[in-house]
Amino acid sequence: MIDYKKRGIFMKLPVLNFESEILSAVSKNQVTVIQAETGAGKSTQIPQMLYLNGYNKITITQPRIMATISLATRVAEELGENVGESIGYKTRYYKTEKFTPITYVTDGYELSTYSSDYHQDNEIVILDEIHEFNLNQETLLGLYKRDLKYNQNVRLVVMSATIDAEKISSFYDNAPIIKIPGKTYPIERKWEPTMRIEECVKKYFSSGTNMLVFLPGKEEIERTAENLSFYFKNTATKIFKLHGEMTYEEQKKVFAHYAEGKIILATNVAQTSITVPDIDFVIDDGNCKQMVCKNGVSSLTTINISQADCDQRAGRAGRCKPGKYVLCSPTSYEARDKYLAPEIERIGLENLVLKLADLHLDPMDLEFVHNPDKKNLQLAKLLLERLEALKDGQITEIGIEMEKMPVSARIARMLIEAKKYSPQVQGDMAIIGAILECGDFRGKKFYVPAMLTDECKKSDLTYQLLLVKTINNLWHTLEGSERVEFYVDRGIKKKIFQSILKSSKDIADKLHLQYMLNTETNDSDYVNIRNCIISAYCDSLYVYSGSYRGVKYEGADNVTRTLDRNSIIAYSYYNIPKVVLAQPLDIKVSKGYYGPYTVNLLRNATAVDLDNEVIRKSLQSIMSHSYYYDEYDGILYDIYRVGSIVVKQEVSEKKPTIERYKDCGWTYRRVIVDNMVLTTIPEY
């Protein structure tokens, strides 16, 4: 047993009492399942104990960037080192450069670098916080089950505080389970079914109290922060926000100690793998926002979290001292599901199918802990065929290129299409790809004037491209104090905007493109950029249906959607495009005047001309064909549709057969095309 002080650990964490058992299990078994309660120290101590007992290549995955970096930093401190020596981290946007024996990575990074022989470089792979069962984790669990048998030297450790240990053990052929209790500080639990979250904070807060308040999303955080700031305006209490749109530097402020107390308003980014010191109270509204994809349409809804999530959130208190957990929700702990539906059962699976196709695997042939919906798999395959990434179930050259790109399938397809055009277009598409990946950087009070041309106005994405360049140029014209409130004053979401800059540079570097952030895009380039967008979104067609309470478009599914209020393409009331390609999004609102309701939106719209050669070619694979016979003129027409939308109508080259027959004394004409009766017409 290694002396704790050798690691700089002076508070004895429960997991250290199980060191011999853990080392023995890992040594004797290829897979070990560890269920360690919140506060046991599993995420920081288990990698250390393995490293200090001779393992020199340990990779440990985390669901989120903040947890990945903060854990690596904490472990480095415990070993008395700087990050980047023995302990490193790798995420999509941030990484330490040189080899480190222990490397914390996001599970997305681990999957993106996975290949059939990749894991052979590792001695230990630790999949942490596996209870979330996000798509990356599900895929890694399945891939490692398939591939570990080919390399007996690799050891897999699967960990979480609220894991269904028996289910994972069974999945890995009865792998051993080690159950570790959490830290012994007691957590008092309370339920407040009728109290609003602000009232709950005020009730339990006293001078010197440190609170972590869980809320579903950024909007709820902003609203609660505004209300609490007014209440605490005459005190020294600090109120912090903690959500995914903030930079890591901004997020770090919550870890500091404040004598007069702090209130941290957080989304579920604070739910796992991080320890915020001094927390006395956790106030939980019991909700989270979840994305669901149904029939290709994404839906964002606020739902009740599970019992396992409540346990995770309660565990944020009692880490360093006794704590309290208050569930401020009409739904009790006992009335909640034990676990939420795993991500693999509710989101689009295009990138999963593409990744497995590149490994020469059909997802139907890979065993998952939770099996994906077959309909979702078929929809993913169909989309990839339309994007020319798959053909007859096999990955194409385009698909191989797409899989190597660190972006979603549609964005990858746009980047490949851009190769047909100038370096300017290719570099601009790297920025647009980053915009689509990172999200809209415009807040409610956004205001940055930009000089638009008519061609730029035809797509929300080209408009955002122009804005990114304009904002970047403006930033570099300022100095010193002028930059302090730059983003706030202009209503720019700082983290998202900075992520776009970094991600676009990463995409350009990875694909060996010229980075066009500081160059101007001309009108002919905008036309070609729209062609790239068409190649990826040709199946997402919408037709103008009126302007009442917003600009409305109808899709092939007969659902009428409202154009995003930030859209530039309908800026002029007299020049609203008749047909657009756009991303559908349903937002389910739980509390409306008449109860729950759904907002059907369109985001990132691009105006299109159905005579455009690129769109007509793209639409060929998804159009249905039928005939229409004009009785008055005696002309047969070919009708091409996408769902209920008529894409084109033209005089058919085919000649219909006209048959006459009598029935009950009446004479009828039967119009036949391709041995199919098209219409029957009575003759008078």
Side-chain angles (χ1 to χ4, degrees):
M1 186 76 71
I2 294 175
D3 181 16
Y4 302 135
K5 291 187 179 182
K6 184 175 180 181
R7 302 179 212 170
I9 301 170
F10 297 96
M11 53 177 186
K12 190 175 179 181
L13 294 167
V15 73
L16 298 172
N17 296 326
F18 291 79
E19 184 164 355
S20 296
E21 186 177 347
I22 292 169
L23 292 172
S24 176
V26 172
S27 172
K28 295 176 182 177
N29 301 277
Q30 198 163 20
V31 181
T32 303
V33 181
I34 298 177
Q35 183 177 2
E37 294 178 8
T38 300
K42 65 183 184 306
S43 300
T44 58
Q45 304 310 308
I46 290 176
Q48 289 185 67
M49 67 176 64
L50 292 168
Y51 168 53
L52 295 171
N53 279 275
Y55 295 98
N56 291 311
K57 184 63 173 70
I58 303 165
T59 298
I60 176 168
T61 69
Q62 293 295 322
R64 297 177 182 85
I65 292 173
M66 185 170 76
T68 303
I69 298 174
S70 62
L71 283 169
T73 304
R74 174 60 184 265
V75 172
E77 289 173 355
E78 291 185 3
L79 290 175
E81 299 179 353
N82 295 318
V83 177
E85 295 178 34
S86 297
I87 316 298
Y89 57 82
K90 293 185 184 299
T91 75
R92 179 174 168 184
Y93 300 115
Y94 311 97
K95 62 182 67 176
T96 51
E97 296 302 325
K98 68 174 187 177
F99 167 82
T100 53
I102 299 177
T103 307
Y104 285 83
V105 303
T106 53
D107 44 42
Y109 182 89
E110 175 76 357
L111 182 60
S112 70
T113 54
Y114 190 98
S115 64
S116 294
D117 58 356
Y118 166 74
H119 63 275
Q120 295 185 22
D121 294 332
N122 290 294
E123 292 181 292
I124 304 282
V125 176
I126 302 174
L127 303 181
D128 197 9
E129 306 298 354
I130 208 69
H131 72 278
E132 294 199 6
F133 283 118
N134 64 41
L135 187 58
N136 295 328
Q137 292 171 333
E138 291 269 13
T139 309
L140 288 168
L141 286 167
L143 287 172
Y144 278 115
K145 177 168 185 178
R146 184 197 71 142
D147 290 343
L148 282 177
K149 58 188 176 183
Y150 300 115
N151 186 352
Q152 297 297 313
N153 295 322
V154 178
R155 296 290 185 265
L156 180 67
V157 179
V158 183
M159 306 195 308
S160 177
T162 52
I163 193 175
D164 186 346
E166 285 69 25
K167 187 180 184 75
I168 298 295
S169 172
S170 175
F171 182 72
Y172 284 108
D173 304 320
N174 299 316
I177 300 172
I178 300 174
K179 295 191 177 183
I180 302 171
K183 199 154 188 184
T184 55
Y185 294 119
I187 300 174
E188 180 186 350
R189 292 188 180 226
K190 294 187 177 184
W191 179 35
E192 295 283 3
T194 61
M195 193 173 288
R196 292 174 61 245
I197 199 79
E198 292 94 341
E199 295 170 345
C200 198
V201 170
K202 296 171 188 176
K203 175 180 176 179
Y204 290 101
F205 190 88
S206 60
S207 180
T209 295
N210 298 290
M211 280 187 170
L212 178 59
V213 183
F214 281 101
L215 295 161
K218 183 189 172 187
E219 287 187 11
E220 292 81 0
I221 286 176
E222 296 288 350
R223 183 171 60 249
T224 305
E226 185 175 347
N227 293 337
L228 292 178
S229 295
F230 179 79
Y231 180 79
F232 288 99
K233 65 180 179 180
N234 295 322
T235 73
T237 301
K238 301 289 185 182
I239 297 176
F240 294 105
K241 304 167 190 175
L242 185 60
H243 53 77
E245 292 183 9
M246 298 168 60
T247 63
Y248 180 64
E249 289 69 27
E250 292 170 330
Q251 292 172 346
K252 286 194 298 185
K253 296 176 183 177
V254 306
F255 295 96
H257 173 73
Y258 300 91
E260 298 298 322
K262 60 187 174 185
I263 300 173
I264 303 165
L265 308 176
T267 61
N268 58 2
V269 299
Q271 186 170 309
T272 57
S273 295
I274 64 169
T275 299
V276 179
D278 303 332
I279 294 300
D280 304 294
F281 266 94
V282 170
I283 308 290
D284 185 5
D285 85 335
N287 294 316
C288 70
K289 290 189 177 180
Q290 192 177 79
M291 189 69 76
V292 177
C293 186
K294 187 174 181 180
N295 296 326
V297 178
S298 295
S299 175
L300 182 65
T301 183
T302 301
I303 62 169
N304 284 325
I305 61 172
S306 66
Q307 292 182 1
D309 292 317
C310 287
D311 294 338
Q312 286 280 356
R313 292 181 175 189
R316 299 304 100 191
R319 301 299 292 266
C320 306
K321 56 184 174 181
K324 296 180 177 66
Y325 172 78
V326 182
L327 179 59
C328 184
S329 168
T331 307
S332 68
Y333 176 87
E334 292 73 20
R336 296 168 183 269
D337 294 333
K338 189 172 183 180
Y339 299 100
L340 292 181
E343 198 173 51
I344 199 170
E345 295 177 359
R346 56 182 173 80
I347 70 167
L349 302 175
E350 297 83 27
N351 281 59
L352 166 65
V353 172
L354 192 59
K355 176 66 182 178
L356 296 180
D358 190 49
L359 296 172
H360 306 292
L361 279 173
D362 188 301
M364 303 301 293
D365 299 331
L366 190 68
E367 188 176 353
F368 296 93
V369 177
H370 303 95
N371 289 315
D373 184 89
K374 291 183 179 179
K375 183 179 179 181
N376 282 348
L377 284 175
Q378 291 301 325
L379 285 172
K381 289 180 178 179
L382 181 60
L383 174 59
L384 291 172
E385 287 174 0
R386 290 170 178 170
L387 299 181
E388 303 177 282
L390 292 182
K391 186 175 182 180
D392 300 326
Q394 302 298 312
I395 194 166
T396 64
E397 290 297 322
I398 288 177
I400 291 171
E401 282 190 77
M402 287 170 59
E403 200 285 319
K404 292 176 182 176
M405 296 181 180
V407 291
S408 64
R410 288 189 191 269
I411 298 171
R413 184 65 185 87
M414 288 193 293
L415 289 165
I416 290 173
E417 188 71 15
K419 291 183 177 181
K420 298 178 180 178
Y421 305 109
S422 67
Q424 179 69 50
V425 170
Q426 295 175 45
D428 282 345
M429 287 310 305
I431 299 172
I432 288 177
I435 291 169
L436 285 166
E437 284 286 297
C438 300
D440 197 337
F441 53 87
R442 293 169 291 177
K444 288 184 178 179
K445 298 180 180 179
F446 177 81
Y447 179 71
V448 174
M451 297 296 293
L452 287 89
T453 66
D454 289 340
E455 291 298 334
C456 182
K457 292 178 185 177
K458 292 181 180 179
S459 173
D460 291 331
L461 292 172
T462 52
Y463 174 50
Q464 291 181 64
L465 168 69
L466 175 64
L467 288 177
V468 167
K469 293 184 177 185
T470 302
I471 293 167
N472 181 69
N473 291 337
L474 183 57
W475 164 265
H476 284 95
T477 64
L478 304 178
E479 296 181 358
S481 61
E482 294 179 306
R483 294 183 174 182
V484 175
E485 299 297 326
F486 175 82
Y487 295 101
V488 174
D489 290 345
R490 291 162 179 81
I492 302 167
K493 299 176 182 178
K494 181 179 178 181
K495 182 186 177 182
I496 293 180
F497 185 79
Q498 291 182 339
S499 295
I500 288 171
L501 297 185
K502 181 167 180 56
S503 179
S504 59
K505 183 69 165 62
D506 290 344
I507 293 171
D509 289 346
K510 186 174 180 63
L511 302 182
H512 307 294
L513 307 177
Q514 295 180 36
Y515 193 41
M516 296 299 181
L517 186 61
N518 298 311
T519 62
E520 185 176 343
T521 308
N522 60 43
D523 279 352
S524 62
D525 291 328
Y526 283 135
V527 172
N528 292 330
I529 287 171
R530 290 203 304 276
N531 286 339
C532 296
I533 296 169
I534 289 168
S535 71
Y537 286 94
C538 62
D539 61 327
S540 196
L541 194 71
Y542 294 86
V543 174
Y544 176 69
S545 64
S547 298
Y548 50 96
R549 294 185 181 179
V551 181
K552 307 290 185 179
Y553 284 86
E554 184 180 338
D557 56 1
N558 296 318
V559 174
T560 299
R561 299 181 175 278
T562 304
L563 200 61
D564 182 4
R565 64 184 179 186
N566 283 331
S567 177
I568 193 68
I569 66 170
Y571 184 76
S572 171
Y573 179 82
Y574 300 101
N575 193 30
I576 296 174
K578 300 304 179 187
V579 183
V580 299
L581 302 178
Q583 296 174 308
L585 174 66
D586 292 339
I587 299 180
K588 296 184 179 180
V589 182
S590 57
K591 297 178 182 178
Y593 186 80
Y594 296 103
Y597 65 98
T598 300
V599 180
N600 305 116
L601 291 178
L602 284 181
R603 299 182 302 169
N604 297 321
T606 296
V608 294
D609 178 356
L610 292 180
D611 289 332
N612 178 288
E613 182 181 348
V614 175
I615 193 169
R616 293 189 70 164
K617 180 181 177 183
S618 298
L619 289 174
Q620 283 177 2
S621 62
I622 62 172
M623 287 191 299
S624 62
H625 174 254
S626 61
Y627 296 103
Y628 166 68
Y629 184 73
D630 187 319
E631 301 172 22
Y632 184 80
D633 292 326
I635 299 174
L636 180 68
Y637 292 94
D638 288 305
I639 305 294
Y640 296 91
R641 300 175 183 267
V642 175
S644 61
I645 301 170
V646 176
V647 175
K648 64 177 178 176
Q649 174 179 318
E650 56 191 18
V651 177
S652 179
E653 294 181 357
K654 294 204 171 185
K655 301 298 180 186
T657 301
I658 309 294
E659 293 183 353
R660 285 180 169 79
Y661 69 97
K662 289 188 175 183
D663 186 16
C664 299
W666 289 86
T667 301
Y668 295 88
R669 283 184 299 151
R670 192 158 46 198
V671 181
I672 301 173
V673 182
D674 292 339
N675 298 317
M676 175 180 67
V677 177
L678 189 61
T679 185
T680 301
I681 307 166
E683 289 188 348
Y684 300 99

Short mmCIF file of all heavy atoms in Angstrom, two decimals, residues 65-103:
data_model
loop_
_atom_site.label_atom_id
_atom_site.label_comp_id
_atom_site.label_asym_id
_atom_site.label_seq_id
_atom_site.Cartn_x
_atom_site.Cartn_y
_atom_site.Cartn_z
N ILE A 65 -15.99 18.80 -20.85
CA ILE A 65 -14.68 19.44 -20.92
C ILE A 65 -14.25 19.96 -19.56
O ILE A 65 -13.10 19.78 -19.15
CB ILE A 65 -14.70 20.58 -21.96
CG1 ILE A 65 -14.85 20.01 -23.37
CG2 ILE A 65 -13.44 21.43 -21.87
CD1 ILE A 65 -15.04 21.07 -24.45
N MET A 66 -15.17 20.64 -18.84
CA MET A 66 -14.80 21.24 -17.57
C MET A 66 -14.31 20.18 -16.59
O MET A 66 -13.31 20.37 -15.89
CB MET A 66 -15.97 22.00 -16.96
CG MET A 66 -15.60 22.75 -15.69
SD MET A 66 -16.87 23.89 -15.11
CE MET A 66 -18.02 22.73 -14.38
N ALA A 67 -15.01 19.04 -16.51
CA ALA A 67 -14.59 17.97 -15.61
C ALA A 67 -13.24 17.41 -16.04
O ALA A 67 -12.38 17.11 -15.20
CB ALA A 67 -15.64 16.86 -15.59
N THR A 68 -13.03 17.27 -17.34
CA THR A 68 -11.77 16.72 -17.86
C THR A 68 -10.58 17.58 -17.41
O THR A 68 -9.58 17.06 -16.90
CB THR A 68 -11.82 16.65 -19.39
OG1 THR A 68 -12.94 15.87 -19.79
CG2 THR A 68 -10.55 16.04 -19.95
N ILE A 69 -10.69 18.88 -17.60
CA ILE A 69 -9.58 19.78 -17.27
C ILE A 69 -9.41 19.92 -15.76
O ILE A 69 -8.28 19.88 -15.24
CB ILE A 69 -9.80 21.15 -17.92
CG1 ILE A 69 -9.83 21.01 -19.45
CG2 ILE A 69 -8.70 22.13 -17.52
CD1 ILE A 69 -10.19 22.29 -20.18
N SER A 70 -10.52 20.08 -15.04
CA SER A 70 -10.41 20.30 -13.59
C SER A 70 -9.87 19.06 -12.88
O SER A 70 -9.09 19.17 -11.92
CB SER A 70 -11.76 20.71 -13.00
OG SER A 70 -12.72 19.69 -13.17
N LEU A 71 -10.25 17.87 -13.33
CA LEU A 71 -9.72 16.65 -12.71
C LEU A 71 -8.23 16.49 -12.97
O LEU A 71 -7.46 16.12 -12.08
CB LEU A 71 -10.49 15.43 -13.24
CG LEU A 71 -11.88 15.21 -12.64
CD1 LEU A 71 -12.63 14.15 -13.43
CD2 LEU A 71 -11.78 14.80 -11.18
N ALA A 72 -7.82 16.75 -14.22
CA ALA A 72 -6.39 16.66 -14.53
C ALA A 72 -5.59 17.66 -13.69
O ALA A 72 -4.51 17.33 -13.16
CB ALA A 72 -6.16 16.92 -16.02
N THR A 73 -6.14 18.86 -13.53
CA THR A 73 -5.46 19.88 -12.72
C THR A 73 -5.36 19.45 -11.27
O THR A 73 -4.31 19.60 -10.63
CB THR A 73 -6.22 21.21 -12.82
OG1 THR A 73 -6.33 21.58 -14.20
CG2 THR A 73 -5.51 22.32 -12.07
N ARG A 74 -6.44 18.90 -10.73
CA ARG A 74 -6.46 18.47 -9.33
C ARG A 74 -5.46 17.34 -9.08
O ARG A 74 -4.70 17.35 -8.09
CB ARG A 74 -7.87 18.02 -8.95
CG ARG A 74 -7.99 17.42 -7.55
CD ARG A 74 -7.59 18.40 -6.46
NE ARG A 74 -7.63 17.78 -5.15
CZ ARG A 74 -8.66 17.85 -4.32
NH1 ARG A 74 -9.74 18.52 -4.69
NH2 ARG A 74 -8.62 17.26 -3.16
N VAL A 75 -5.43 16.36 -9.95
CA VAL A 75 -4.53 15.22 -9.76
C VAL A 75 -3.07 15.67 -9.88
O VAL A 75 -2.20 15.21 -9.13
CB VAL A 75 -4.86 14.10 -10.77
CG1 VAL A 75 -3.81 12.99 -10.71
CG2 VAL A 75 -6.24 13.53 -10.47
N ALA A 76 -2.80 16.56 -10.81
CA ALA A 76 -1.44 17.09 -10.94
C ALA A 76 -1.02 17.79 -9.65
O ALA A 76 0.12 17.62 -9.17
CB ALA A 76 -1.35 18.04 -12.13
N GLU A 77 -1.92 18.55 -9.06
CA GLU A 77 -1.62 19.23 -7.79
C GLU A 77 -1.33 18.23 -6.68
O GLU A 77 -0.41 18.41 -5.88
CB GLU A 77 -2.80 20.13 -7.40
CG GLU A 77 -2.96 21.37 -8.27
CD GLU A 77 -4.22 22.14 -7.94
OE1 GLU A 77 -5.02 21.65 -7.10
OE2 GLU A 77 -4.43 23.22 -8.53
N GLU A 78 -2.11 17.16 -6.63
CA GLU A 78 -1.90 16.15 -5.60
C GLU A 78 -0.55 15.45 -5.75
O GLU A 78 0.05 15.04 -4.76
CB GLU A 78 -3.04 15.12 -5.64
CG GLU A 78 -4.37 15.69 -5.19
CD GLU A 78 -5.47 14.65 -5.12
OE1 GLU A 78 -5.17 13.46 -5.36
OE2 GLU A 78 -6.62 15.00 -4.82
N LEU A 79 -0.09 15.33 -6.97
CA LEU A 79 1.22 14.72 -7.21
C LEU A 79 2.35 15.75 -7.13
O LEU A 79 3.51 15.41 -7.35
CB LEU A 79 1.25 14.03 -8.57
CG LEU A 79 0.39 12.76 -8.68
CD1 LEU A 79 0.41 12.23 -10.10
CD2 LEU A 79 0.89 11.68 -7.73
N GLY A 80 2.00 17.01 -6.84
CA GLY A 80 3.02 18.05 -6.72
C GLY A 80 3.64 18.44 -8.04
O GLY A 80 4.81 18.84 -8.10
N GLU A 81 2.85 18.35 -9.12
CA GLU A 81 3.37 18.65 -10.46
C GLU A 81 2.51 19.70 -11.15
O GLU A 81 1.43 20.07 -10.66
CB GLU A 81 3.35 17.38 -11.33
CG GLU A 81 4.19 16.25 -10.82
CD GLU A 81 4.10 15.04 -11.74
OE1 GLU A 81 3.28 15.06 -12.70
OE2 GLU A 81 4.83 14.08 -11.49
N ASN A 82 2.98 20.15 -12.29
CA ASN A 82 2.17 20.98 -13.17
C ASN A 82 1.45 20.07 -14.17
O ASN A 82 1.95 19.00 -14.53
CB ASN A 82 3.04 21.98 -13.93
CG ASN A 82 3.68 23.00 -13.01
OD1 ASN A 82 3.03 23.51 -12.09
ND2 ASN A 82 4.95 23.30 -13.26
N VAL A 83 0.28 20.52 -14.62
CA VAL A 83 -0.42 19.78 -15.67
C VAL A 83 0.46 19.71 -16.90
O VAL A 83 1.07 20.70 -17.30
CB VAL A 83 -1.77 20.45 -16.01
CG1 VAL A 83 -2.45 19.72 -17.15
CG2 VAL A 83 -2.68 20.49 -14.81
N GLY A 84 0.53 18.53 -17.50
CA GLY A 84 1.35 18.35 -18.69
C GLY A 84 2.63 17.57 -18.41
O GLY A 84 3.36 17.23 -19.35
N GLU A 85 2.91 17.28 -17.14
CA GLU A 85 4.08 16.46 -16.81
C GLU A 85 3.68 14.98 -16.78
O GLU A 85 3.79 14.29 -17.78
CB GLU A 85 4.68 16.93 -15.49
CG GLU A 85 5.24 18.36 -15.57
CD GLU A 85 5.80 18.85 -14.24
OE1 GLU A 85 6.35 18.04 -13.47
OE2 GLU A 85 5.68 20.06 -13.95
N SER A 86 3.17 14.52 -15.63
CA SER A 86 2.66 13.14 -15.58
C SER A 86 1.18 13.07 -15.92
O SER A 86 0.67 12.02 -16.31
CB SER A 86 2.87 12.54 -14.18
OG SER A 86 4.24 12.46 -13.88
N ILE A 87 0.48 14.18 -15.73
CA ILE A 87 -0.97 14.22 -15.92
C ILE A 87 -1.30 15.19 -17.06
O ILE A 87 -0.89 16.35 -17.02
CB ILE A 87 -1.71 14.69 -14.65
CG1 ILE A 87 -1.13 14.02 -13.40
CG2 ILE A 87 -3.21 14.45 -14.78
CD1 ILE A 87 -1.26 12.53 -13.37
N GLY A 88 -2.06 14.72 -18.03
CA GLY A 88 -2.47 15.59 -19.14
C GLY A 88 -3.95 15.48 -19.41
O GLY A 88 -4.66 14.71 -18.76
N TYR A 89 -4.43 16.25 -20.38
CA TYR A 89 -5.82 16.15 -20.78
C TYR A 89 -5.92 16.42 -22.27
O TYR A 89 -5.09 17.10 -22.87
CB TYR A 89 -6.71 17.13 -19.99
CG TYR A 89 -6.31 18.58 -20.09
CD1 TYR A 89 -6.69 19.37 -21.18
CD2 TYR A 89 -5.55 19.17 -19.08
CE1 TYR A 89 -6.32 20.70 -21.25
CE2 TYR A 89 -5.18 20.51 -19.14
CZ TYR A 89 -5.57 21.27 -20.24
OH TYR A 89 -5.20 22.58 -20.32
N LYS A 90 -6.95 15.87 -22.87
CA LYS A 90 -7.20 16.07 -24.29
C LYS A 90 -8.71 16.20 -24.50
O LYS A 90 -9.48 15.32 -24.13
CB LYS A 90 -6.66 14.91 -25.13
CG LYS A 90 -5.14 14.82 -25.12
CD LYS A 90 -4.64 13.75 -26.06
CE LYS A 90 -3.12 13.57 -25.99
NZ LYS A 90 -2.38 14.77 -26.36
N THR A 91 -9.10 17.33 -25.08
CA THR A 91 -10.49 17.54 -25.46
C THR A 91 -10.47 18.08 -26.89
O THR A 91 -9.40 18.29 -27.47
CB THR A 91 -11.19 18.56 -24.54
OG1 THR A 91 -10.72 19.88 -24.86
CG2 THR A 91 -10.90 18.28 -23.07
N ARG A 92 -11.64 18.32 -27.41
CA ARG A 92 -11.70 18.82 -28.78
C ARG A 92 -11.03 20.18 -28.91
O ARG A 92 -10.37 20.48 -29.90
CB ARG A 92 -13.16 18.91 -29.21
CG ARG A 92 -13.33 19.43 -30.61
CD ARG A 92 -14.77 19.36 -31.02
NE ARG A 92 -14.98 20.11 -32.23
CZ ARG A 92 -16.16 20.30 -32.79
NH1 ARG A 92 -17.22 19.79 -32.22
NH2 ARG A 92 -16.28 21.00 -33.89
N TYR A 93 -11.17 21.05 -27.89
CA TYR A 93 -10.68 22.41 -27.99
C TYR A 93 -9.40 22.66 -27.19
O TYR A 93 -8.66 23.58 -27.49
CB TYR A 93 -11.76 23.39 -27.51
CG TYR A 93 -13.04 23.31 -28.31
CD1 TYR A 93 -14.22 22.89 -27.71
CD2 TYR A 93 -13.06 23.63 -29.66
CE1 TYR A 93 -15.40 22.82 -28.44
CE2 TYR A 93 -14.23 23.56 -30.39
CZ TYR A 93 -15.39 23.15 -29.77
OH TYR A 93 -16.55 23.07 -30.50
N TYR A 94 -9.18 21.87 -26.16
CA TYR A 94 -8.03 22.11 -25.28
C TYR A 94 -7.27 20.80 -25.08
O TYR A 94 -7.87 19.74 -24.94
CB TYR A 94 -8.50 22.62 -23.90
CG TYR A 94 -9.49 23.76 -23.94
CD1 TYR A 94 -10.86 23.52 -23.83
CD2 TYR A 94 -9.06 25.08 -24.09
CE1 TYR A 94 -11.77 24.56 -23.87
CE2 TYR A 94 -9.98 26.13 -24.13
CZ TYR A 94 -11.33 25.86 -24.02
OH TYR A 94 -12.24 26.89 -24.06
N LYS A 95 -5.94 20.91 -25.03
CA LYS A 95 -5.16 19.70 -24.78
C LYS A 95 -3.76 20.06 -24.34
O LYS A 95 -3.23 21.13 -24.65
CB LYS A 95 -5.11 18.82 -26.02
CG LYS A 95 -4.45 19.43 -27.23
CD LYS A 95 -4.49 18.51 -28.46
CE LYS A 95 -5.89 18.31 -28.96
NZ LYS A 95 -5.93 17.50 -30.20
N THR A 96 -3.15 19.15 -23.56
CA THR A 96 -1.72 19.25 -23.28
C THR A 96 -0.99 18.52 -24.41
O THR A 96 -1.50 17.56 -24.97
CB THR A 96 -1.39 18.61 -21.92
OG1 THR A 96 -1.96 17.29 -21.86
CG2 THR A 96 -1.96 19.45 -20.78
N GLU A 97 0.18 18.98 -24.73
CA GLU A 97 0.81 18.55 -25.97
C GLU A 97 1.59 17.24 -25.87
O GLU A 97 1.44 16.35 -26.69
CB GLU A 97 1.73 19.65 -26.50
CG GLU A 97 0.99 20.92 -26.89
CD GLU A 97 -0.07 20.68 -27.95
OE1 GLU A 97 0.14 19.83 -28.83
OE2 GLU A 97 -1.12 21.34 -27.88
N LYS A 98 2.43 17.09 -24.82
CA LYS A 98 3.32 15.93 -24.82
C LYS A 98 2.65 14.71 -24.19
O LYS A 98 1.59 14.80 -23.56
CB LYS A 98 4.61 16.26 -24.07
CG LYS A 98 4.45 16.46 -22.58
CD LYS A 98 5.81 16.65 -21.92
CE LYS A 98 5.69 16.67 -20.38
NZ LYS A 98 6.99 16.77 -19.73
N PHE A 99 3.28 13.55 -24.36
CA PHE A 99 2.76 12.31 -23.78
C PHE A 99 2.75 12.39 -22.26
O PHE A 99 3.69 12.87 -21.64
CB PHE A 99 3.63 11.12 -24.22
CG PHE A 99 3.35 9.86 -23.44
CD1 PHE A 99 2.28 9.05 -23.78
CD2 PHE A 99 4.14 9.51 -22.35
CE1 PHE A 99 2.02 7.91 -23.06
CE2 PHE A 99 3.88 8.36 -21.63
CZ PHE A 99 2.81 7.55 -21.98
N THR A 100 1.66 11.90 -21.65
CA THR A 100 1.59 11.81 -20.19
C THR A 100 1.08 10.43 -19.82
O THR A 100 0.19 9.88 -20.49
CB THR A 100 0.64 12.88 -19.62
OG1 THR A 100 -0.64 12.79 -20.29
CG2 THR A 100 1.20 14.28 -19.79
N PRO A 101 1.61 9.82 -18.75
CA PRO A 101 1.15 8.49 -18.34
C PRO A 101 -0.34 8.44 -18.00
O PRO A 101 -1.00 7.44 -18.25
CB PRO A 101 2.00 8.19 -17.10
CG PRO A 101 3.21 9.05 -17.25
CD PRO A 101 2.74 10.29 -17.94
N ILE A 102 -0.86 9.51 -17.39
CA ILE A 102 -2.30 9.60 -17.12
C ILE A 102 -2.86 10.73 -17.98
O ILE A 102 -2.38 11.86 -17.93
CB ILE A 102 -2.58 9.91 -15.64
CG1 ILE A 102 -2.03 8.80 -14.74
CG2 ILE A 102 -4.08 10.08 -15.40
CD1 ILE A 102 -2.21 9.09 -13.26
N THR A 103 -3.88 10.40 -18.78
CA THR A 103 -4.49 11.40 -19.64
C THR A 103 -6.00 11.37 -19.46
O THR A 103 -6.65 10.35 -19.69
CB THR A 103 -4.17 11.14 -21.13
OG1 THR A 103 -2.76 11.01 -21.29
CG2 THR A 103 -4.67 12.29 -21.98
#
